[in-house]
Amino acid sequence: MAESPEAVSLPVTGMTCAACAANIERALKRLPGVGEAGVNYATNRATVTFDPAVLTVPAIVEAIRDVGYDVIGGGEAGFGTGDSGFEDSEDLEQQARDSEYRALRFRLTLGAALAAPVVVLGMAHAHFPGVNWVQLVLTAPVLFYCGWPFYRGAWKAVRHLTADMNTLIAVGTGAAFAYSAVATAFPAAVQGGGFMTRSSGTIQPPYAGHEAGPVAPVYFETAVVIIVLVLLGKLLEARARGRTSEAIRRLIDLQPRMARIIRDGIELDVPTRDVLHGDIVIVRPGERVPVDGEVLDGGSAVDESMLTGESMPVDKAAGSTVYGATMNTTGAFRFRATRVGAETALQQIVRLVRDAQGRRAPIARMADAISAWFTPAVIGVALVTFAAWYAFGPAGSRLSTAMVSAVAVLIIACPCAMGLATPTAILVGTGKGAEKGVLIRGGDILERAAAVTTVVLDKTGTITTGKPEVTECVPLGARGLGIRDSGFGIRNGEPSPQSPGPEAPTLLRQAESASPDQMEAGSSDPADTQALLSLAASAEANSEHPLAQAIVRAARARGSLALPAASAFEAIPGRGVRAVVEGRQVIVGSEALMRESGVDVAPLAAGLERLTALGRTIMFVASDGAPRGIIALADTPRPEARAAIARLHAMGKQVVMLTGDNEATARAIAAEVAPGGEITRVVAGVLPGHKSDAVKALQADGRVVAMVGDGINDAPALAQADIGIAMGSGTDVALEAADIALMRADLNGVADAIELSGRTLRIIRQNLFWAFFYNVLGIPLAAGAFYPWTGWQLSPMIAAAAMSFSSVSVLANSLRLKR
């Protein structure tokens, strides 16, 4: 294989069962240059990873055609991993699905209309001159037109020395028709010279008074009913399979077909596929964003729920990123296109979900292994059944009984349910995850995620917001006065509804005029706290350090708290800043900077000790050489962190926190988000490069580990874990490093992913159990194994109904995941 293999996903037509998919897959794997090949019967897609130096897409398409199937569009546009013709391919696929559905419906309608009189004549045992000939004439078009796809598929299989569902149906119905046709044309040959009619599957004397000549037993109604019931099952199956892929179709349909752009100074309406990098795009109220880009001017709130699952609109202004297919609400804006065609977030998500639906779960290997030999084995069982009944069946009806039993075995054993059991559940499960902003990379990931016993949460950016916020603002002498207790509240960077404070100059005077004795007495005046914050923010306004920006954000969040301009600004790397604010020398920074500047911080010892114990980052504030107070900062927990961690704990998962921070800070965060001890282990002081070692140690203890991180710095740990879960916002997630990507920064998505995986695996197990149970019970019953003791013998018509019902029931069970 080449170092950079390519992948292609091709929509295949002509498949009627899981064995068809297996036949195509074997043919693809025999091609030189193919690394991996998988064919999904539920989605009708072949996914091939290949060396482009050895193999081409047209050669892959030709290989599929060589085994008797076809590819929609010939593989010419929109099916690769990097094409921009994705919309065209989806249109072609939808047209093909609609055409297939209409053809099935027509064949079913015609077949049912012709089959009805055949069933009435056969089941009523009607006897009149030419009755069998009437049934023959009505049956022939049902088999050879309505049922032609099955016979054509069987012939393809024979040509390639394989067998599938078509083989079973064609042999079963063909045997019933051939026997009946011979009995119609040459009744004596079937009856052995006797004048007999059929009643309840046995050979009896002719109907009293009938003088029209010999009437042989025929099974035309069996043949037509089997074809009609199988067509009905296929129609229901096609409809249900269409529902399983609704998630992808809804996503694709969200992208607008047209975009309004400015090119060479002229406003144009062009197809979205024709938008180029750098084009200026105009979006008006109520319109969808056509491609990804960066806002140039204007503003609005954009509904991004189709990407992130988050229902609240996101404010957009100049510099903001917008994503294709999201809904603009009230405002208007212009943006520059940065990602178009297959590069957009929407098409990356669709491709990820579609690839996921093509990846098998390990549990599916059992069904694949059985399907490989199942059809030949069933034909063998049918031959043994025929021979046994012909040798030991009731005298006078051995041939008909043997034929009926063999046909029943062939029909009931069609392996459709087994072929659909796993891929349909994965199809629905991954689609449902995409709707919730949880992107799962495949069936194998679903199965592993369901087995997770330990969830490792990286602290920064996962449990916490990933950016520091001011948590306490303590003037000199205040007894632990917190910012929320002082009339100045901050929650996630937003001001709380508290009373407005006085203007900044007055606050500065109050803060500096209070004597140390007054401060030591423990001032709880909110003005003191606001004055301290204003003093620090004014000095830090020109700094780009994250801690400085957090202090400025906290001050600006209080709308009435003005910040005087600072001069003589000096940043001291790693320690803090100096600046002149309203004629006073202000210093904001570390304890080392204070000592270096000759500021005595001993009066702040009490507050310092308390905040250090809480794991806060401390910033000292001084002016004109005297200490004024402490500002404490911390990376604050996400609002949903406590509930999400409690949910994981309630699911029986061990929750571990992993962080590079010191032990005190880590313990403080753990106590805040898991007051009931839901975080059972805290691993602190871990360097980014050693996080994977911590995961490996947990795995060595026999735990199945899910690692949750930001998907970038945590890539080695994500790759080491049994399941890597990347949290992000919009498209800022490391899809290549993670097995599961959360499109919004919400810790609840971790529990959603694990819960969805568990539910999907349960559905798969249920599907496989019932598919196997159905065949284990159905084949002996059809063969007549219970007849000597119970007198039970299965009619081929009932077998056809049961076979169709089994496939539809598996699909219906998988669709429960949508709820």
Side-chain angles (χ1 to χ4, degrees), residues 259-525:
R260 186 175 296 106
I261 66 171
I262 297 177
R263 194 176 286 172
D264 298 328
I266 302 173
E267 186 173 314
L268 304 169
D269 286 334
V270 300
T272 298
R273 75 187 72 172
D274 293 340
V275 177
L276 305 176
H277 287 278
D279 276 343
I280 306 302
V281 184
I282 303 172
V283 182
R284 292 175 178 148
E287 294 180 344
R288 290 195 179 274
V289 180
V291 296
D292 298 1
E294 181 179 340
V295 176
L296 297 176
D297 52 58
S300 183
V302 176
D303 180 357
E304 296 183 345
S305 58
M306 50 72 60
L307 270 181
T308 66
E310 176 59 58
S311 59
M312 293 298 293
V314 180
D315 291 334
K316 302 293 182 180
S320 299
T321 301
V322 291
Y323 303 104
T326 56
M327 173 63 79
N328 183 32
T329 56
T330 56
F333 57 87
R334 299 191 310 160
F335 71 93
R336 178 177 287 107
T338 57
R339 291 193 292 189
V340 299
E343 302 172 347
T344 63
L346 173 71
Q347 298 221 25
Q348 288 176 7
I349 291 171
V350 169
R351 186 164 289 109
L352 179 68
V353 175
R354 181 161 277 169
D355 290 346
Q357 291 171 347
R359 287 173 59 171
R360 286 189 177 90
I363 196 173
R365 292 172 187 160
M366 177 173 58
D368 291 342
I370 291 175
S371 296
W373 55 261
F374 189 81
T375 300
V378 167
I379 294 175
V381 171
L383 291 174
V384 171
T385 299
F386 182 89
W389 278 104
Y390 190 76
F392 305 108
S397 63
R398 289 177 178 176
L399 179 60
S400 60
T401 303
M403 190 270 298
V404 168
S405 298
V407 170
V409 168
L410 291 170
I411 298 304
I412 201 167
C414 289
C416 298
M418 280 191 292
L420 291 168
T422 300
T424 53
I426 292 172
L427 188 66
V428 180
T430 52
K432 185 66 176 177
E435 290 179 1
K436 296 173 70 68
V438 177
L439 303 184
I440 303 171
R441 294 181 67 88
D444 50 337
I445 306 302
L446 276 168
E447 186 167 342
R448 291 209 307 268
V452 163
T453 59
T454 300
V455 179
V456 178
L457 303 175
D458 180 58
K459 180 184 77 69
T460 305
T462 302
I463 294 177
T464 63
T465 60
K467 63 180 183 179
E469 298 287 352
V470 173
T471 58
E472 287 93 3
C473 189
V474 186
L476 180 64
R479 297 190 181 115
L481 187 64
I483 199 166
R484 292 184 179 87
D485 305 315
S486 65
F488 190 99
I490 298 292
R491 290 188 183 276
N492 298 318
E494 297 294 334
S496 64
Q498 314 243 4
S499 58
E503 293 298 322
T506 307
L507 292 175
L508 293 176
R509 298 293 187 274
Q510 288 176 342
E512 294 180 349
S513 62
S515 68
D517 291 338
Q518 288 174 323
M519 289 283 193
E520 200 62 46
S523 169
S524 60
D525 188 348

Side-chain angles (χ1 to χ4, degrees), residues 188-268:
V190 174
Q191 297 169 329
F195 291 85
M196 301 177 183
T197 59
R198 187 195 63 169
S199 177
S200 303
T202 62
I203 306 301
Q204 297 181 354
Y207 184 79
H210 179 60
E211 301 176 355
V215 180
V218 293
Y219 293 89
F220 289 119
E221 82 277 12
T222 296
V224 295
V225 168
I226 288 171
I227 292 295
V228 169
L229 286 176
V230 174
L231 284 172
L232 175 62
K234 286 294 175 186
L235 189 73
L236 295 174
E237 182 183 310
R239 185 174 180 179
R241 281 163 61 187
R243 290 181 59 197
T244 61
S245 58
E246 282 177 0
I248 287 181
R249 195 160 56 250
R250 280 201 299 266
L251 283 175
I252 294 172
D253 289 344
L254 288 175
Q255 186 162 34
R257 298 286 178 175
M258 303 295 292
R260 186 175 296 106
I261 66 171
I262 297 177
R263 194 176 286 172
D264 298 328
I266 302 173
E267 186 173 314
L268 304 169

Side-chain angles (χ1 to χ4, degrees), residues 561-788:
L561 192 61
L563 304 182
S567 59
F569 173 80
E570 178 187 5
I572 300 94
R575 286 176 291 176
V577 301
R578 294 190 182 98
V580 175
V581 180
E582 292 191 326
R584 293 166 177 78
Q585 181 70 38
V586 178
I587 305 172
V588 183
S590 65
E591 185 175 2
L593 179 60
M594 294 298 158
R595 286 198 303 268
E596 183 182 294
S597 303
V599 177
D600 182 12
V601 296
L604 303 173
L608 176 63
E609 181 179 357
R610 180 183 68 84
L611 294 172
T612 301
L614 292 175
R616 302 291 193 255
T617 298
I618 305 301
M619 298 286 281
F620 295 88
V621 183
S623 68
D624 290 341
R628 295 302 172 189
I630 295 172
I631 295 178
L633 302 97
D635 185 5
T636 56
R638 295 183 180 279
E640 80 284 356
R642 179 179 293 194
I645 290 171
R647 185 176 165 197
L648 287 169
H649 182 74
M651 292 166 63
K653 312 302 179 186
Q654 179 192 25
V655 183
V656 176
M657 178 195 286
L658 190 62
T659 180
D661 280 348
N662 61 66
E663 186 81 16
T665 300
R667 294 286 177 187
I669 291 291
E672 187 171 354
V673 297
E678 292 85 358
I679 294 180
T680 57
R681 185 174 176 184
V682 175
V683 183
V686 182
L687 296 175
H690 296 159
K691 287 182 179 180
S692 60
D693 295 333
V695 172
K696 196 179 299 182
L698 289 169
Q699 291 172 322
D701 290 338
R703 300 191 173 277
V704 181
V705 179
M707 172 69 195
V708 187
D710 62 14
I712 302 171
N713 297 329
D714 301 314
L718 290 170
Q720 173 62 41
D722 297 281
I723 293 292
I725 303 178
M727 289 186 64
S729 176
T731 58
D732 299 330
V733 291
L735 300 181
E736 296 305 320
D739 300 306
I740 298 174
L742 308 181
M743 295 306 290
R744 57 188 169 121
D746 187 338
L747 205 54
N748 277 304
V750 178
D752 288 341
I754 294 175
E755 185 177 29
L756 179 61
S757 298
R759 290 180 58 209
T760 303
L761 192 62
R762 283 196 299 275
I763 291 290
I764 290 173
R765 286 172 174 158
Q766 291 168 8
N767 287 349
L768 288 173
F769 170 79
W770 286 112
F772 286 130
F773 177 79
Y774 160 82
N775 281 290
V776 168
L777 179 64
I779 292 175
L781 180 61
F786 304 114
Y787 181 81

